[in-house]
Amino acid sequence: MRFVSTRGQTPPLGFSDAVATGLAPDGGLYLPETLPQFSAADLARFEPLPYAELCFEFLKLFATDIEPSVLRAIIAKSYTTFSDPRIAPIIKLDERTSVLELFHGPTLAFKDFALQLLGNLYEHQCATRGQTINVLGATSGDTGSAAIHGLLGKPGTAIFILYPDGRTSPLQERQMACTGADNVYALAIDGSFDDAQAALKDLFADQDFRTRHRLSAVNSINLARVLAQCVYYLYAYLRLPAATRAETEFVVPTGNFGNVLAGWTLQKMGVPIHSFKVATNQNDILYRLFTTGDYRVSAVAPSLAPSMDIQVSSNFERFLYLSIGRDSAKVREVMETFKKTGGYKFENFDRDTFSASRCSDAQIPSIIKDVYQKYGYVVDPHTACAFADLSKDRPSLVLATASPAKFPDTIISAIGVEPKDPSLEALKQRPLKKHLLKADAGAIRAFIDANAV
């Protein structure tokens, strides 16, 4: 299997090279040259498989340059760190509403599904190629901690995570800045997530810099992130009741568009998921996109759901490429217009597949309280956004993207109960080690120059 850039101006790569490269040299994002198609017989064969084995059956179609026995071992290792043996359990709340819990990994967020795997893929590449690698990412909260914990102490690696100073939850920051690992650098940026992501893209555009440091991206711009996340959609679809499977809507809290993109990509592979609801917080560019067709940046307002405090959704480019028939020239035109003007007006969207909802900060505590009183179930602020406007016409499967224990202040204010997790309690006793930097590519470049492996 080969992987091509959405902008069509760089040669195709194999899986391992595309993973190691992250962002394509032409500024685009890698996607499979062709998408495999799953038949009803394939889905029937997949249905009884445990999570790790299903992940292997899926990823072996893409990671064709890794020996199958090696790939199976990498995948098995990646999911031994999850606290629930089901990996991604479905919790039924009532006849029409269920929750897919995606927070049983080591950092209590859905990002662990991809980043435990990606960390082990990086470790495999370092060992087999005899090279070091420096991993760079930007985060609005959960990606950074999950990426860091996927690479903790792994030989031949260093990881640099940019995050907006003061705009993550205290426990999210502690997960990044209290590891004590020598290969981890938590870089607190004076600015928003979008500022951090813009600096990251500038650094990856510096071909000499990225080559000199063997720089790889850990954000959802890395294709391994999207492919790994496809698996929990497939796993969940196969575990829905047969009677409602074909009509269930997946409701996805979304900021950087990578999570819902994975489900939509799986649908493009022939898995008959009915529809997706894109659930945003008050930073609602994706809500505006899917309700009006207008993709336009506005100011980021810090919220109770900080991982969704994003305006420029990096995975939108993959969605654009696939939805307009893989027309790289058109992608370049749209992205250039968006870069210059901060907006783009689209004429057509698949309204049967996508809908959207918006949740304000004022609504989040009341939704948490309502879900708790109705079901005795506690949701984190991001998952609460998904409950803002559930369908009355069909069953809903809400993707619970983080443990409520990561956001105790919001939960306490909403229901008077403090959610706890032993791993987070231990972090409160550790010293915080972060590096304060301006949201400037030059300052970040100098820091990496001084600390890269």
Side-chain angles (χ1 to χ4, degrees):
M1 169 91 55
R2 306 288 286 175
F3 297 84
V4 296
S5 169
T6 51
R7 301 194 185 181
Q9 295 181 315
T10 194
L13 296 177
F15 176 79
S16 294
D17 286 329
V19 169
T21 302
L23 187 70
D26 61 3
L29 306 180
Y30 286 109
L31 275 169
E33 209 162 29
T34 58
L35 292 175
Q37 295 297 303
F38 297 115
S39 65
D42 291 326
L43 297 180
R45 178 169 58 87
F46 292 158
E47 190 165 349
L49 298 180
Y51 193 91
E53 191 61 23
L54 179 65
C55 187
F56 169 72
E57 289 294 327
F58 181 82
L59 286 181
K60 74 178 185 181
L61 302 174
F62 301 93
T64 53
D65 57 355
I66 299 177
E67 171 64 36
S69 62
V70 173
L71 181 63
R72 178 181 267 118
I74 289 171
I75 292 169
K77 179 181 178 182
S78 300
Y79 296 105
T80 58
T81 56
F82 283 62
S83 60
D84 191 302
R86 297 168 293 178
I87 310 298
I90 293 177
I91 309 300
K92 184 177 179 180
L93 299 184
D94 61 27
E95 289 304 313
R96 301 189 65 77
T97 311
S98 298
V99 175
L100 176 63
E101 291 188 343
L102 299 175
F103 53 75
H104 295 289
T107 69
L108 311 180
F110 79 98
K111 309 292 179 73
D112 288 321
F113 280 85
L115 289 164
Q116 285 291 299
L117 176 66
L118 186 56
N120 289 322
L121 287 170
Y122 282 141
E123 182 179 37
H124 168 70
Q125 289 183 8
C126 289
T128 56
R129 297 183 177 189
Q131 294 178 332
T132 57
I133 192 167
N134 291 285
V135 177
L136 178 61
T139 186
S140 54
D142 289 328
T143 293
S145 55
I148 283 168
H149 284 261
L151 283 169
L152 276 180
K154 290 192 182 299
T157 70
I159 180 165
F160 303 85
I161 295 295
L162 315 175
Y163 67 97
D165 190 33
R167 298 195 188 188
T168 64
S169 81
L171 286 173
Q172 284 177 317
E173 182 176 49
R174 284 195 163 273
Q175 286 185 312
M176 293 185 281
C178 295
T179 68
D182 291 337
N183 69 329
V184 171
Y185 300 92
L187 308 182
I189 299 301
D190 180 17
S192 69
F193 167 78
D194 289 322
D195 294 329
Q197 184 165 254
L200 178 146
K201 289 185 175 180
D202 284 346
L203 292 171
F204 274 98
D206 183 341
Q207 299 302 317
D208 176 68
F209 179 76
R210 70 186 291 180
T211 301
R212 184 168 73 254
H213 291 308
R214 293 168 297 282
L215 206 62
S216 187
V218 76
N219 278 53
S220 54
I221 58 178
N222 194 304
L223 76 95
R225 290 278 306 275
V226 175
L227 293 177
Q229 289 173 203
C230 289
V231 178
Y232 57 68
Y233 281 92
L234 179 58
Y235 185 78
Y237 174 83
L238 295 171
R239 277 154 183 77
L240 288 171
T244 60
R245 185 182 290 170
E247 57 176 331
T248 296
E249 181 168 74
F250 284 61
V251 187
V252 190
T254 302
N256 216 9
F257 203 66
N259 196 356
V260 72
L261 176 83
W264 181 74
T265 303
L266 186 71
Q267 186 193 62
K268 301 283 279 186
M269 298 180 201
V271 179
I273 295 173
H274 182 277
S275 57
F276 302 93
K277 176 163 282 184
V278 175
T280 71
N281 67 0
Q282 62 194 22
N283 296 294
D284 60 354
I285 185 172
L286 294 173
Y287 170 77
R288 288 180 277 119
L289 168 66
F290 286 108
T291 54
T292 70
D294 192 31
Y295 187 60
R296 191 163 305 277
V297 170
S298 60
V300 175
S303 78
L304 295 176
S307 295
M308 297 158 69
D309 291 346
I310 297 169
Q311 283 294 294
V312 183
S313 302
S314 61
N315 268 286
F316 176 75
E317 185 166 334
R318 284 190 170 107
F319 171 72
L320 175 65
Y321 176 80
L322 291 174
S323 63
I324 62 173
R326 296 175 175 263
D327 185 344
S328 296
K330 182 66 174 177
V331 169
R332 294 195 301 271
E333 175 195 329
V334 172
M335 298 311 295
E336 185 62 26
T337 299
F338 181 74
K339 183 178 180 180
K340 288 179 178 177
T341 68
Y344 193 88
K345 182 71 174 180
F346 293 89
E347 299 301 324
N348 296 303
F349 268 121
D350 184 354
R351 299 297 169 87
D352 293 330
T353 297
F354 283 105
S355 61
S357 63
R358 178 188 185 277
C359 185
S360 70
D361 252 22
Q363 292 174 279
I364 288 174
S366 61
I367 291 172
I368 293 171
K369 182 178 181 179
D370 182 63
V371 172
Y372 184 64
Q373 291 180 337
K374 191 173 183 179
Y375 303 115
Y377 189 80
V378 183
V379 295
D380 84 287
H382 305 82
T383 306
C385 293
F387 280 86
D389 186 25
L390 294 180
S391 173
K392 296 178 175 59
D393 301 322
R394 60 183 60 89
S396 297
L397 181 65
V398 173
L399 274 63
T401 53
S403 167
K406 299 183 78 167
F407 307 92
D409 293 344
T410 302
I411 305 302
I412 292 169
S413 69
I415 61 175
V417 174
E418 182 179 3
K420 293 185 177 181
D421 183 272
S423 68
L424 298 179
E425 293 304 304
L427 286 176
K428 295 177 182 179
Q429 311 306 317
R430 296 181 184 174
L432 196 71
K433 183 181 179 181
K434 65 180 182 179
H435 306 272
L436 297 169
L437 294 175
K438 293 181 179 180
D440 172 75
I444 299 163
R445 183 184 290 107
F447 186 92
I448 294 172
D449 277 333
N451 294 281
V453 293

